[in-house]
Amino acid sequence: MRCTEELSIEIPPVSSSMMSRSPIEELYRAENVRLQRAIAASFGVEIASEAVSEAFAQLLGRGAEVRDPARWVWKSSFAIARGLAVSGDRQFEQVDLSTLDDEYPSDLIAGLRQLSPLQRQAMVLHYYAGFPLAEIAEVTGSTRAAIKVHLLRGRRRMALLLEET
Amino acid sequence: MKRVFEQLDELPVKDLWSEIEARASVQTLDEGGPAHVNRRQVLAWAAAVIMVVGAVGVLSQVLPAPNAEQELAVVAGETPGMADRLNRSLAGMEVDGVAASGRRVYVSVGDGGAQYSIRSADLAAEAPQFQLFASLQAPPETLVANSDWVAVLDADGHSTWWPASGDGDVAGLEGLGVPLVGLAEGGGRFWVSTSEAIVEVLVGEAVSLGESIPAVGAQFLAVDAAGEPWFIDADGALWEGPIRRADVKASVLDLVPASMGMVVITTDWDDGRIKYFEAGGVEDSELGYDAGTDQPSITGWASGPTGPIVLFEGSLIASIEPEARPAGQISVARSTIEFPDTLRAVVVDGGDEGLILAGIRDDATLFWHSLPGLR
């Protein structure tokens, strides 16, 4: 209230489509950092930029069609990232995290590289993004029980790797 | 562990908003045609869904536009008309076993009392339904079939063979002097197990005993496509015929034949849920799987023409492509169909329809599911 009275900013007219994009941009501002880092740690920096850009662009195109944009964008970004990771040779195992490693050498990244793709995604989504099992299952297209196992094995393996280093 | 992951807060992050708006505007311009599809994303989604390491071409037909509020892909459609008709012809019966050869499906059933029989249906028929194939004297334990013979091992340890044509005399196996424990078929050869041995059964005009392999406490008898028997002995070792292949002290659910070997389905391998052993391999040369199959709940499995099909909790279908070696390839597809909690299934050649899974639900009724993307 105070701001509008004191500054008297003139707001330009906006189209209806721009009005519908505003909340999406807000969502982007709220989720981008966490989302990009989660995907980068799972698939690599390049894939993270591509997947997040593509998911949000698709979200803009869909607008009100999407009931829960935050969930949608996480799920879609990870799905796109998985697709990009396998589209070259269609092998998860060959996801290259070397770009990430170059930019950010750390024990954590070195350890993540040793995990299976699903273990890596589950660990990042749980311990970094703070997702519960059910949401990790949704984002990764897996099941709660599967995620539980991936977390168990990932944790065990990470602990050993971190201990070694 | 959470503290360790806080290191990720130092990862550089790009501001992508301009890029996002640019992409969105391009997509908006592209719109207008009824079949607007972003090719790049379709490829990305298709690849994400398939998660293939050496594929058998699953999902080639169904690549939906990305919409996370839908299922990722629909690869399987139910076959309600056929299923209804087939199931109606088994009304009031409890299905105990299921076997298939080509498009012919056999079930062993009970009437809830003391009457047991084998019923068969030809899915190639215009209006397939189950009809009486043979009556049984005791509750059936194992039912197997190939193009020539149908065999049953009953609860009394007796085995019986019938010509698949439905003609001819019943052939019974005599001479072992001990009850049979297992019965399996593969590559046209039948093998039975007792508490002491694995024995080939030669079926022709008469039934006689062939080669014998000593095996104490053999369980999970299965026969690969070459006709060689595989089993797990009382000490938890996996055997390929007379050759000891590996120590599988894990909780084995079953052995499922692949065309070039055998798949061991377990609940607690360290490195995955299923493991493929190539026929003729030497010890320690087995191929392990992870590749997206690291799922905790296998709810059913079947042996298909291109190898085993494994159903996981959450309607994940994994199909092993045995020809695509040596890395241990597997195709994984998702389905929107929820499979029964447990399902013992066989695969039926569905012709142009792809494969059809025929399985038994917990309530002893039949379950049908078509897999048009799999052959």
Side-chain angles (χ1 to χ4, degrees), chain A residues 24-35:
Chain A
I24 296 178
E25 185 171 359
E26 280 175 22
L27 176 69
Y28 166 79
R29 299 292 169 204
E31 300 288 338
N32 174 47
V33 170
R34 204 167 55 124
L35 178 57

Side-chain angles (χ1 to χ4, degrees), chain B residues 96 116 136-142 152-159 179-180:
Chain B
D96 178 81
Y116 306 96
L136 301 173
Q137 304 305 315
E141 284 281 316
T142 307
V152 161
L153 173 65
D154 67 29
D156 295 337
H158 295 127
S159 59
L180 303 181

Side-chain angles (χ1 to χ4, degrees), chain A residues 57-126:
Chain A
Q58 292 278 333
L59 183 60
L60 278 172
R62 291 174 183 278
E65 202 182 296
V66 177
R67 286 195 300 271
D68 187 340
R71 284 174 71 173
W72 191 96
V73 86
W74 273 86
K75 191 171 174 178
S76 297
S77 297
F78 266 80
I80 292 166
R82 283 196 297 275
L84 291 170
V86 300
S87 58
D89 54 15
R90 304 168 92 186
Q91 290 202 22
F92 258 148
E93 281 62 31
Q94 293 184 16
V95 171
D96 183 13
L97 288 181
S98 58
T99 52
L100 185 56
D101 214 1
D102 292 343
E103 285 190 36
Y104 185 74
S106 77
D107 295 347
L108 175 61
I109 296 302
L112 285 172
R113 291 182 67 181
Q114 302 296 314
L115 303 184
S116 76
L118 278 169
Q119 285 171 0
R120 195 161 57 226
Q121 289 171 62
M123 293 287 281
V124 168
L125 283 166
H126 188 64

Side-chain angles (χ1 to χ4, degrees), chain A residues 28 54 58 62 90 141 153, chain B residues 16 41 52 66 294 334:
Chain A
Y28 166 79
E54 187 64 28
Q58 292 278 333
R62 291 174 183 278
R90 304 168 92 186
R153 289 179 178 160
Chain B
L16 303 168
Q41 193 164 8
V52 175
D294 193 3
R334 285 174 203 290

Side-chain angles (χ1 to χ4, degrees), chain B residues 93 104 106-110 115-121 130-138 140 143 150-152 160-171:
Chain B
M93 299 178 202
R104 186 165 281 280
Y106 301 88
V107 291
S108 53
V109 299
Q115 301 295 315
Y116 306 96
S117 61
I118 299 172
R119 311 258 159 173
S120 74
F130 281 102
Q131 293 175 323
L132 181 66
F133 178 81
S135 295
L136 301 173
Q137 304 305 315
L143 171 68
V150 179
V152 161
T160 311
W161 274 259
W162 295 265
S165 61
D167 303 324
D169 296 333
V170 173

